[in-house]
Amino acid sequence: MVLTKEVDLPQFTTLTVPEINVSTATLMAAAPYLGKHCESVNNEFMLCRQELNDPRPCIELGKRVTACAMQVFKKIKKECKDEFNQYANCVDKSSGDYGFKDCRKTQAVFDTCMMEKLCMERPDFGYFCRGRIHKSPSAPPTPPPCPCHPKVPDATPSLPDCKPRYPARFGGRSYYMTE
């Protein structure tokens, strides 16, 4: 990607945020709870990225998404650590593609712990596929002016009138439709 001098990049200290260092199996085991608990913050972040088409103004929202995920993992560690570790270990070692089908028993134990101790219910199947409307607290951004297409009057305001054409020599395209 080529940048010019006019592009203002954020300082590295602005981008520094505590990372969530977890394995793929751990992330997949906690994914439904992360998705449901952090849904509004994540939707706001993705809306910012989509509307502005520039990640720089959305850095603070990205930090809030990471903080929300960190909060969920801290709650799981505090209340359901053993059940979660069993479930994540099963997801990691039961199949080569991190499949869930062999881990339904440990999943049920983990889900019960989450419901009893944290009052967090696993979202039903297809929850994340449904369309939902996100009501954003922030105002929609004004679109930036496009510098590549300045507003210039059209060089050809209208086309000149054409001469009438002769009928086609061998019939028109609608030959088969007329019979």
Side-chain angles (χ1 to χ4, degrees):
M1 182 165 144
V2 179
L3 299 174
T4 61
K5 290 181 182 179
E6 291 81 32
V7 176
D8 183 34
L9 293 175
Q11 296 295 324
F12 189 71
T13 55
T14 309
L15 301 174
T16 307
V17 64
E19 294 183 12
I20 303 172
N21 295 320
V22 294
S23 67
T24 303
T26 305
L27 192 60
M28 287 182 68
Y33 295 103
L34 286 172
K36 182 125 187 224
H37 185 74
C38 302
E39 183 175 15
S40 63
V41 176
N42 192 38
N43 286 347
E44 193 66 29
F45 172 70
M46 294 307 293
L47 186 66
C48 176
R49 290 283 311 264
Q50 187 73 23
E51 285 182 342
L52 299 177
N53 201 17
D54 184 12
R56 293 174 290 172
C58 308
I59 291 173
E60 290 305 315
L61 285 171
K63 288 181 180 182
R64 287 180 38 206
V65 170
T66 305
C68 181
M70 187 74 81
Q71 179 186 13
V72 171
F73 275 116
K74 285 180 181 179
K75 287 180 181 179
I76 290 173
K77 184 177 178 182
K78 183 179 178 187
E79 299 294 332
C80 300
K81 181 180 178 181
D82 295 332
E83 294 87 349
F84 179 72
N85 285 340
Q86 282 182 329
Y87 180 47
N89 191 29
C90 180
V91 169
D92 188 24
K93 296 183 178 173
S94 66
S95 67
D97 63 346
Y98 302 109
F100 295 107
K101 66 179 176 115
D102 299 325
C103 303
R104 297 299 181 195
K105 290 181 182 176
T106 53
Q107 176 185 335
V109 172
F110 174 59
D111 290 344
T112 304
C113 178
M114 290 294 284
M115 186 64 191
E116 289 175 357
K117 295 184 178 177
L118 295 174
C119 298
M120 292 175 78
E121 187 176 359
R122 175 181 280 272
D124 58 328
F125 186 75
Y127 174 81
F128 296 107
C129 296
R130 292 188 206 117
R132 289 181 292 284
I133 296 174
H134 174 71
K135 294 190 184 345
S136 177
S138 60
T142 57
C146 185
C148 55
H149 301 292
K151 295 208 174 208
V152 178
D154 193 7
T156 56
S158 65
L159 295 175
D161 291 335
C162 294
K163 297 177 186 175
R165 294 184 181 218
Y166 299 111
R169 278 176 54 186
F170 302 107
R173 293 182 184 173
S174 58
Y175 173 73
Y176 295 104
M177 291 188 225
T178 58
E179 293 182 1

